């Protein structure tokens, strides 16, 4: 079962934003991907959700287009072990959901890139998830 973000989840998960060199101060770095739940039961139909927030306001960012993703087991030293990720509809503002084949319990790294309305630079981030046995 999925849980809401807990203290443990905050400790277990992190988000990274990368900004291309030369980017002005305002830009893609104003946005952050956060895990909605950092633990998910492993399985071929595992559902994963990330929240996209504008760090300046703390508000959720809706209507972003997620156009590349990668899911691999880098946190467990298996970067070569990748899996498929399917986008699901955004049903809640700023919450982006995916279905992934998390075939193995353990740590998974989810890399997300997004186009945000009004933001010319690509927003990139990653979250670390733990697939439970
Ligand atoms: Cu693995």
């Amino acid at each position: 079962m999925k849980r809401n973000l807990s203290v443990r989840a905050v400790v277990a998960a992190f988000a990274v934003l990368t900004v291309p060199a030369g980017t002005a101060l305002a830009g893609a770095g104003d946005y952050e991907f956060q895990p909605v739940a950092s633990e998910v039961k492993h399985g071929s139909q595992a559902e994963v959700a990330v929240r996209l927030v504008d760090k300046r306001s703390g508000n959720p960012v809706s209507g972003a287009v997620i156009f590349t993703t990668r899911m691999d087991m880098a946190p467990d030293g298996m970067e070569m072990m990748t899996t498929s990720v399917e986008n699901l509809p955004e049903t809640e503002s700023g919450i982006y959901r995916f279905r992934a084949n998390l075939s193995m319990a353990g740590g998974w790294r989810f890399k997300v890139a997004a186009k945000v309305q009004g933001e010319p630079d690509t927003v990139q981030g990653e979250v670390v998830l733990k697939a439970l046995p």
Side-chain angles (χ1 to χ4, degrees):
M1 299 299 288
K2 294 200 295 186
R3 296 181 190 169
N4 289 329
L5 198 61
S6 64
V7 172
R8 185 175 169 205
V10 171
V11 171
F14 65 89
V16 174
L17 285 163
T18 57
V19 180
T23 302
L25 285 175
D30 294 325
Y31 302 93
E32 184 173 62
F33 284 102
Q34 303 167 346
V36 173
S38 65
E39 293 185 345
V40 59
K41 184 151 174 53
H42 90 282
S44 62
Q45 300 283 302
E47 196 175 307
V48 170
V50 296
R51 178 184 295 110
L52 181 59
V53 297
D54 185 331
K55 291 194 290 185
R56 296 166 295 186
S57 62
N59 291 335
V61 179
S62 63
V65 178
I66 311 288
F67 65 93
T68 63
T69 58
R70 176 185 172 92
M71 182 82 84
D72 63 38
M73 288 197 79
D76 278 7
M78 289 178 275
E79 189 168 1
M80 297 305 291
M81 185 172 171
T82 61
T83 194
S84 59
V85 179
E86 174 192 351
N87 287 45
L88 297 174
E90 179 189 3
T91 54
E92 187 181 340
S93 179
I95 306 289
Y96 298 89
R97 295 157 52 244
F98 309 85
R99 182 173 293 124
N101 179 11
L102 302 183
S103 54
M104 189 174 174
W108 290 85
R109 173 180 65 175
F110 187 26
K111 301 183 82 167
V112 187
K115 278 294 187 190
V116 174
Q117 291 173 11
E119 172 51 59
D121 294 325
T122 300
V123 175
Q124 297 181 65
E126 64 180 55
V127 297
V128 170
L129 307 166
K130 184 179 181 188
L132 303 176

